Amino acid sequence: MAPVKVEERDKEAKEAKEENEAKEGKEETEERVIRQRRGSDKRTQKKPKKTGAKEILSAALQTEFTNPAAAQEFESRYKEKMRKKPGNQIFHVLAKSSSLPENMQWPDRKVKEFLDWALERHHALLEVKNDDQYTPLHLALMDRNTTFVDAVLLNSKLINLAAVLLETCQYGNSLHVAIKYRLPSIKLMVEKSAQINKMFEKGQPETGNTPLHACMSMDMDEHDDDSDVESEFDDDDDEDSQSHSLPDPDHESETPIADEHHHHHQELKNLGWVPIENGLGKRKPTHVELKHPTTTGRRESHALPLQRAQSFMVPTITESTSRSIQLVQLLIQKHHAILWQHNTAKRTPYQERIHRLRTSKAIENELAKAEKTGLEDKAAAREELLQRIVAKDPIASYIRSYCVKEFPRDRIMACLYQPGQERHIEFDLGGLPHPTISEDYLDRLSKHLQFESIMKYVALPKITMESPAMVRKKKRGEQPPHRRGLSDLVAVFNWLRRNHVEKIVKIMVIDDGDPSHADASIEEALEGFGIEIWDWKRLDLSTEVICKSTKVVQEISLYSSGNNAVLMGWASPQGLPNKTKFPDLKKVNLFIREGQEDQQRLMTYINSFKNTIKRETNDRVKVHHILDNKDVSYASELKSTEGHLQPETPWIDCVVSFARLLRRAPGARSVHPVKIAIIDDGVDASLIRLDGKIAIGKSFCPYANSTDLMSPYYVPSGNHGTCMATLISKICPEVSLYVARLDERQAVRGSQRQITAKSAADAIRWATDCGVDIISMSWTIETPVTGNDDMESLKTAVRDATGNDILMFCSTSDQGSSTKDNCYPGDFPGCIKIGGATNTGEALAWVNADKVDFLLPGKNVPFDNNEGKVISYESGSSVATAAASGLAGLLMFCSWLLKEDNKSFQDQKNMDEAFKALAQQTKFPRMQEVFEQRFKQALAKLEPPNPDQKLKQPPPEYDISTMSWDDNCKEALDTVMGWILPTN
């Protein structure tokens, strides 16, 4: 019985175990099912639906925003969704209308209605950038969505328009994008940007190109086919808007004929250039004048076609170029400061245009043809051809013309040229030492004068032009035939034409003698130059001559003898009031001589003339009269038409005014004067203005045939040294003059006198022994040094002066390109060589700027007597040298006024660096900018703020000529001197 019980017990235990396992499995399964059910519930639970930009726009499309209730309901529903936050917003989607589905296309009316409402409440969304860093306006511009763009620009209630326009993307600001994508309403964009300077001046991220830079290649894009682009600049009424020919200055204007078989195809079309073939119609072949050296050594002009069947490409204003020009004009007129902005390549917009022309493949092909003509100097021919192309390019021509007419010379240079590539924009022979010139003289000038195609002015004194035939007759002792009317200046203006001058803005010509130039000669001389400001100084000149010479004159200066018949003719319907003859005339300057009639009758004539002009032109033409008393005749001087109201020497006037201010400083008297030696022909000590300024003098000029009698230094042989001393004394605030009179001998040829090298060497040694700070030498010796004991002595004297820290300013030779290599003492080491310039910094015609260190004013500088009456006008590099010496003395005095023991400016290297700083990458010290701008700006910053003045006020006006010296002046001077020489 025992075994059976054990088996039963084991069986029961096994069944119990299986029952428990089954129970546990069931519970586990139930728990798993519960967990699964719970997880399924979570997965099937619905998330709240997110409202997207397209849904909002879809709702907006169905809303009438002109209905206040409907608009309010939309606002209540979507206000939170329209808050400003990064990413794609509703304006981004709406701006890129081309990406919207067909069932969501917005009518123009609806876009404007919605934006008018939305921008008043949610304008901040316009500043939001999407993931690609574009604002809605950027996208609209890129999509050429003019409806969106116009709605933004024309919204009068948009308070953040400036911020929106200034937002940038990879292409730049909104104006950059509009130009890149040829926005049809670009004019509106520019108008709205007019008060935002940064819109025009800000460069693109990588290139630094301003919007105007970007326009320089708009018509050069080879792959841009914009024939379907509409623009505000298009003129639907003009049937010829597709092509407007630019006039050729060498020929009468005719419509150029395109060569449809020409191998330069698409790029030339985009550039706006069309070829002119030989033998087509009446037009002569277009050519470029290239210079060839001849067997005689003279350079003559030859017209050489660039290839047998065709000349070079002449620019034509195509539709693309026309839009570009108008956009360029608009940008410049709205903000002309854009013209002197530089990109990362350090090019202004004009320089960028030239670069684009130079590197264009089509232009390169044309230039390559010129190199195949067998010219000896291919590089020169290539460059000359490029200049002709640049001269005719319509965009470059407009910028050049605008700059020359609107800006002062320094600004013109900065806008148009890179350093070292400047071209002459003036031709001025005023102050010419000799009244007679020859064609050879002009040819020599051509070697170093590179003219721009447009000239700011041409000023010519009364000169006689010697033709080769006249020279030959004079050599044979024959008298030239007597003529009543002159024609000398025809050759001068023809010479300008040969040197590629095509436009002259202003002429000033002295022609008041008897005989004067014939009418026909004047017309021939000026034909085609498009004179805008006329100042041909000939008495009673017929207005018919002016009319035939130029059709675009805006201002005329007339010189009257007082003859009422002439005045009546000028004021007649066939004279100045004739709008057909003078369509652009705005101003007449009447210079009328006194003496022929009594004052009362003369004024009756003048008033009658002015009233007639006013009546006949409906006050379109303004008349200003100036009485000419003959003592200093306006018809006999080269002077601006407003010269009687303006200072003739602004550079010198500016420096002299500043010197007077320095003299008013309390500590000025305690500063020891600058010691300046004037080595010249002596000084007239009788001049009151030199009282107390001459420290000592010595003569090195013995009487002729005498060894013990010396010509006194205080009774000069001429007025040259006196003028130099006077000018230096004006410019340097406190000066002690050390006067040395040089020995002069009669030249072997001619009437000029030559300075002896021995007396010059002795004078320099004397000045060195006197311990002077500066030596001024306004003369030259052109004798080789080698083998000449006196010249070797002079060289040694200069070296010794340099070793004693004496600054030496020396004049260059006023012989232009004919200047010899031997020009001393300026060519000796340690000397600073000075050349004469106009008041604006242009080297005088007879000065070779390449052979001087600096240029200073040296044209028609006035000098007066004890009564203050101007008795002479001096010109030349000698005057400029005195100005340089005086300026160096002024800088030296300023440093001593600030710090008594300052010796910085007694070092030649430092003085040279100071002059370079003042010249600002030119050779002409810009003193007006230093004393009229920098000094005044420094003063303005020192003015204490006014706590009662909430609004920012402009800086106070300062008149240096009348202001008193105070501590602020000293601090301002310290600031300026630190800029001039940082190590000071």
Side-chain angles (χ1 to χ4, degrees):
M1 293 292 295
V4 174
K5 288 182 178 180
V6 170
E7 290 178 356
E8 288 179 351
R9 193 168 51 249
D10 290 341
K11 182 178 179 181
E12 289 175 356
K14 183 178 180 182
E15 289 177 352
K17 181 179 179 180
E18 290 178 351
E19 183 178 350
N20 288 334
E21 289 178 351
K23 184 177 180 180
E24 290 175 358
K26 181 179 179 183
E27 291 176 353
E28 190 174 304
T29 301
E30 289 177 351
E31 289 178 2
R32 189 184 303 115
V33 170
I34 292 172
R35 286 197 302 269
Q36 290 176 349
R37 184 180 296 118
R38 288 175 179 172
S40 176
D41 289 343
K42 290 181 180 180
R43 288 193 297 271
T44 57
Q45 191 175 27
K46 292 184 178 181
K47 297 180 181 180
K49 188 175 181 181
K50 185 178 181 179
T51 305
K54 290 187 177 180
E55 182 181 341
I56 297 174
L57 289 176
S58 180
L61 188 59
Q62 307 301 320
T63 303
E64 290 293 335
F65 288 94
T66 56
N67 184 332
Q72 182 59 42
E73 181 181 352
F74 180 89
E75 171 78 359
S76 300
R77 184 175 180 183
Y78 296 108
K79 182 177 182 179
E80 291 299 320
K81 304 298 181 182
M82 296 177 69
R83 290 189 180 278
K84 181 181 179 181
K85 54 185 177 180
N88 221 37
Q89 302 294 317
I90 58 169
F91 287 172
H92 290 94
V93 179
L94 184 60
K96 198 172 181 182
S97 59
S98 61
S99 64
L100 292 173
E102 292 185 5
N103 63 343
M104 281 188 61
Q105 292 299 316
W106 283 53
D108 292 350
R109 177 196 61 81
K110 192 62 181 179
V111 173
K112 184 179 184 309
E113 176 190 308
F114 173 65
L115 289 178
D116 284 348
W117 174 85
L119 293 179
E120 186 176 355
R121 295 161 177 79
H122 305 284
H123 52 265
L125 292 181
L126 284 176
E127 300 178 48
V128 175
K129 293 184 178 180
N130 63 10
D131 296 338
D132 295 324
Q133 297 304 299
Y134 295 122
T135 66
L137 185 59
H138 292 152
L139 294 177
L141 293 168
M142 295 162 64
D143 201 54
R144 306 191 70 228
N145 185 348
T146 56
T147 304
F148 186 99
V149 173
D150 291 353
V152 171
L153 296 179
L154 295 173
N155 192 306
S156 59
K157 298 180 180 180
L158 186 58
I159 62 175
N160 63 334
L161 179 60
V164 172
L165 293 174
L166 285 169
E167 287 289 348
T168 60
C169 62
Q170 61 173 322
Y171 303 122
N173 60 38
S174 300
L175 197 50
H176 286 107
V177 181
I179 292 171
K180 177 177 176 60
Y181 285 90
R182 310 294 197 270
L183 181 71
S185 54
I186 183 68
K187 184 176 180 181
L188 177 61
M189 172 74 76
V190 175
E191 293 285 353
K192 291 296 181 178
S193 304
Q195 303 303 319
I196 312 172
N197 292 347
K198 289 183 179 180
M199 285 292 292
F200 299 90
E201 299 176 5
K202 185 70 173 178
Q204 293 172 316
E206 294 184 3
T207 65
N209 284 339
T210 67
L212 187 58
H213 281 96
C215 292
M216 295 300 99
S217 60
M218 279 182 66
D219 60 337
M220 292 186 180
D221 189 352
E222 183 175 3
H223 305 290
D224 180 31
D225 181 9
D226 58 358
S227 59
D228 61 335
V229 176
E230 296 180 359
S231 170
E232 289 180 317
F233 296 126
D234 292 338
D235 187 353
D236 297 332
D237 297 328
D238 187 357
E239 296 179 359
D240 298 324
S241 62
Q242 297 293 323
S243 179
H244 302 288
S245 176
L246 195 71
D248 186 344
D250 297 325
H251 308 287
E252 294 182 1
S253 178
E254 297 181 23
T255 303
I257 303 174
D259 179 4
E260 59 187 1
H261 301 295
H262 197 278
H263 62 280
H264 300 322
H265 42 86
Q266 186 61 46
E267 186 172 9
L268 284 175
K269 292 180 181 178
N270 289 329
L271 276 172
W273 300 76
V274 294
I276 305 298
E277 294 189 4
N278 292 338
L280 291 177
K282 297 180 180 179
R283 191 175 181 85
K284 299 176 183 178
T286 307
H287 62 268
V288 174
E289 294 176 351
L290 302 176
K291 306 289 181 65
H292 280 278
T294 63
T295 55
T296 62
R298 287 189 59 193
R299 293 166 65 90
E300 299 179 357
S301 297
H302 298 276
L304 299 177
L306 299 185
Q307 64 181 57
R308 291 189 182 93
Q310 178 188 326
S311 62
F312 71 91
M313 308 301 290
V314 177
T316 296
I317 305 178
T318 62
E319 181 182 358
S320 176
T321 308
S322 178
R323 282 198 300 271
S324 297
I325 291 175
Q326 293 180 64
L327 179 54
V328 166
Q329 292 175 344
L330 185 62
L331 288 171
I332 293 173
Q333 290 165 7
K334 291 299 179 183
H335 190 73
H336 66 212
I338 199 172
L339 284 166
W340 57 80
Q341 304 301 317
H342 289 81
N343 58 15
T344 54
K346 297 183 179 180
R347 291 191 288 265
T348 64
Y350 178 83
Q351 294 161 8
E352 184 68 24
R353 179 66 177 181
I354 305 308
H355 173 73
R356 295 285 183 170
L357 289 173
R358 183 188 294 274
T359 57
S360 167
K361 182 179 179 181
I363 303 301
E364 288 293 326
N365 290 339
E366 286 298 317
L367 294 172
K369 295 177 186 178
E371 296 181 353
K372 296 179 181 179
T373 59
L375 297 175
E376 294 181 10
D377 191 349
K378 294 181 180 179
R382 185 178 187 276
E383 188 63 25
E384 188 165 350
L385 177 55
L386 177 63
Q387 289 302 324
R388 289 299 298 270
I389 292 172
V390 168
K392 294 175 182 294
D393 176 65
I395 292 178
S397 295
Y398 174 78
I399 296 178
R400 273 197 312 274
S401 178
Y402 186 93
C403 291
V404 169
K405 294 178 184 179
E406 301 296 331
F407 295 155
R409 187 179 184 279
D410 289 351
R411 185 65 73 193
I412 297 170
M413 296 293 112
C415 292
L416 301 185
Y417 311 112
Q418 292 182 326
Q421 299 178 359
E422 295 86 355
R423 304 183 77 82
H424 289 264
I425 57 173
E426 303 123 348
F427 181 60
D428 190 342
L429 289 181
L432 193 70
H434 307 290
T436 301
I437 63 173
S438 65
E439 291 185 5
D440 283 339
Y441 170 78
L442 293 176
D443 287 342
R444 289 196 300 272
L445 290 181
S446 298
K447 295 178 181 179
H448 63 87
L449 292 181
Q450 297 294 321
F451 291 117
E452 186 52 85
S453 60
I454 179 172
M455 303 289 284
K456 194 173 186 69
Y457 72 83
V458 171
L460 300 173
K462 194 168 184 62
I463 56 177
T464 300
M465 186 74 186
E466 280 190 342
S467 66
M470 289 175 61
V471 173
R472 288 192 294 270
K473 288 182 178 180
K474 286 180 67 176
K475 288 182 178 180
R476 293 196 297 264
E478 301 176 13
Q479 293 296 323
H482 180 71
R483 298 175 302 179
R484 284 300 304 161
L486 302 179
S487 61
D488 298 66
L489 294 184
V490 173
V492 177
F493 284 98
N494 283 338
W495 172 76
L496 289 171
R497 289 186 179 92
R498 291 196 302 273
N499 282 272
H500 310 318
V501 174
E502 300 178 1
K503 166 78 175 178
I504 301 173
V505 177
K506 180 178 182 178
I507 57 156
M508 294 178 287
V509 176
I510 295 178
D511 191 27
D512 69 329
D514 186 18
S516 56
H517 276 70
D519 291 353
S521 297
I522 297 175
E523 294 168 8
E524 180 183 354
L526 302 181
E527 181 183 8
F529 281 124
I531 310 297
E532 296 183 16
I533 303 177
W534 179 284
D535 192 7
W536 192 291
K537 303 173 189 291
R538 199 189 91 177
L539 288 177
D540 298 337
L541 178 65
S542 170
T543 56
E544 197 68 20
V545 175
I546 304 175
C547 169
K548 291 181 178 179
S549 301
T550 174
K551 299 296 184 184
V552 294
V553 66
Q554 299 178 19
E555 180 178 339
I556 297 175
S557 291
L558 295 171
Y559 297 83
S560 169
S561 64
N563 188 328
N564 193 39
V566 176
L567 291 172
M568 292 172 64
W570 288 346
S572 72
Q574 294 304 311
L576 297 172
N578 193 310
K579 196 169 177 61
T580 302
K581 293 181 178 180
F582 301 101
D584 301 324
L585 183 61
K586 299 175 183 176
K587 182 180 180 181
V588 173
N589 303 297
L590 177 64
F591 295 85
I592 188 163
R593 289 209 169 156
E594 298 178 285
Q596 182 167 320
E597 303 291 345
D598 60 63
Q599 186 75 12
Q600 183 177 358
R601 183 177 289 270
L602 185 61
M603 289 308 302
T604 300
Y605 293 164
I606 293 172
N607 291 332
S608 176
F609 173 81
K610 295 173 74 171
N611 291 333
T612 303
I613 295 292
K614 181 177 182 179
R615 181 181 66 253
E616 295 296 327
T617 64
N618 293 322
D619 208 19
R620 171 176 56 87
V621 178
K622 307 295 183 182
V623 178
H624 303 270
H625 80 273
I626 304 97
L627 296 178
D628 190 343
N629 62 13
K630 287 189 179 180
D631 289 339
V632 183
S633 176
Y634 290 100
S636 304
E637 294 183 323
L638 285 179
K639 185 185 291 188
S640 167
T641 55
E642 298 179 359
H644 58 289
L645 299 175
Q646 298 177 347
E648 296 184 40
T649 53
W651 189 98
I652 291 175
D653 292 343
C654 171
V655 178
V656 169
S657 292
F658 196 79
R660 290 171 180 161
L661 173 63
L662 293 171
R663 292 189 190 106
R664 293 194 289 271
R669 291 295 180 182
S670 62
V671 177
H672 60 84
V674 183
K675 300 177 181 179
I676 301 181
I678 298 177
I679 301 179
D680 212 290
D681 64 353
V683 170
D684 184 0
S686 68
L687 280 181
I688 295 176
R689 71 167 61 252
L690 295 180
D691 280 353
K693 297 185 182 298
I694 299 177
I696 195 172
K698 185 175 182 177
S699 176
F700 301 90
C701 178
Y703 270 70
N705 303 316
S706 175
T707 57
D708 57 347
L709 294 178
M710 304 293 289
S711 300
Y713 73 87
Y714 50 84
V715 181
S717 59
N719 68 342
H720 192 270
T722 304
C723 290
M724 304 306 106
T726 301
L727 183 57
I728 289 173
S729 299
K730 283 183 177 180
I731 296 175
C732 185
E734 293 294 333
V735 63
S736 286
L737 299 177
Y738 291 74
V739 182
R741 177 169 176 175
L742 295 170
D743 185 16
E744 296 174 297
R745 301 289 172 86
Q746 189 70 36
V748 177
R749 296 179 181 178
S751 59
Q752 292 185 344
R753 299 178 66 83
Q754 290 183 342
I755 295 168
T756 65
K758 182 181 183 307
S759 68
D762 291 344
I764 293 174
R765 288 193 183 93
W766 171 77
T768 302
D769 292 341
C770 289
V772 299
D773 303 304
I774 298 168
I775 297 177
S776 180
M777 294 175 277
S778 295
W779 41 268
T780 61
I781 298 177
E782 299 180 5
T783 301
V785 176
T786 305
N788 188 308
D789 292 342
D790 288 343
M791 290 300 297
E792 289 287 355
S793 178
L794 177 60
K795 181 179 180 180
T796 302
V798 169
R799 183 184 63 210
D800 292 345
T802 303
N804 283 275
D805 293 328
I806 297 174
L807 301 176
M808 286 175 285
F809 292 88
C810 307
S811 174
T812 188
S813 174
D814 284 343
Q815 298 183 38
S817 59
S818 300
T819 300
K820 299 178 181 179
D821 292 334
N822 307 312
C823 185
Y824 302 107
D827 282 350
F828 287 137
C831 294
I832 301 174
K833 190 185 286 189
I834 304 298
T838 65
N839 291 323
T840 56
E842 181 77 3
L844 299 178
W846 52 85
V847 172
N848 189 339
D850 293 333
K851 293 188 177 183
V852 302
D853 297 311
F854 299 99
L855 295 165
L856 279 91
K859 176 174 169 21
N860 288 343
V861 176
F863 292 90
D864 53 17
N865 58 14
N866 282 334
E867 289 72 41
K869 182 178 180 180
V870 174
I871 56 174
S872 68
Y873 291 85
E874 303 294 332
S875 298
S877 297
S878 59
V879 179
T881 302
S885 301
L887 177 59
L890 183 146
L891 294 175
M892 203 173 285
F893 180 86
C894 287
S895 68
W896 295 342
L897 182 63
L898 295 171
K899 187 178 180 182
E900 186 174 351
D901 60 346
N902 193 329
K903 297 183 179 180
S904 298
F905 286 95
Q906 291 174 271
D907 181 84
Q908 183 196 334
K909 182 179 178 182
N910 285 346
M911 186 62 74
D912 188 72
E913 290 299 320
F915 270 54
K916 288 180 180 178
L918 293 170
Q920 301 178 43
Q921 298 185 339
T922 69
K923 292 187 176 183
F924 186 79
R926 313 292 173 179
M927 302 314 299
Q928 289 100 316
E929 179 173 331
V930 177
F931 296 147
E932 292 294 334
Q933 295 180 30
R934 290 184 181 272
F935 183 76
K936 292 181 179 180
Q937 289 171 358
L939 278 178
K941 290 180 179 179
L942 295 170
E943 287 289 327
N946 187 345
D948 297 328
Q949 199 73 44
K950 296 182 179 180
L951 297 177
K952 186 177 180 181
Q953 296 294 312
E957 293 293 330
Y958 298 101
D959 186 353
I960 290 178
S961 63
T962 59
M963 70 187 304
S964 299
W965 183 274
D966 56 20
D967 290 340
N968 282 357
C969 289
K970 188 173 182 178
E971 288 191 39
L973 178 63
D974 190 43
T975 299
V976 171
M977 295 299 288
W979 172 80
I980 294 174
L981 187 64
T983 58
N984 184 30

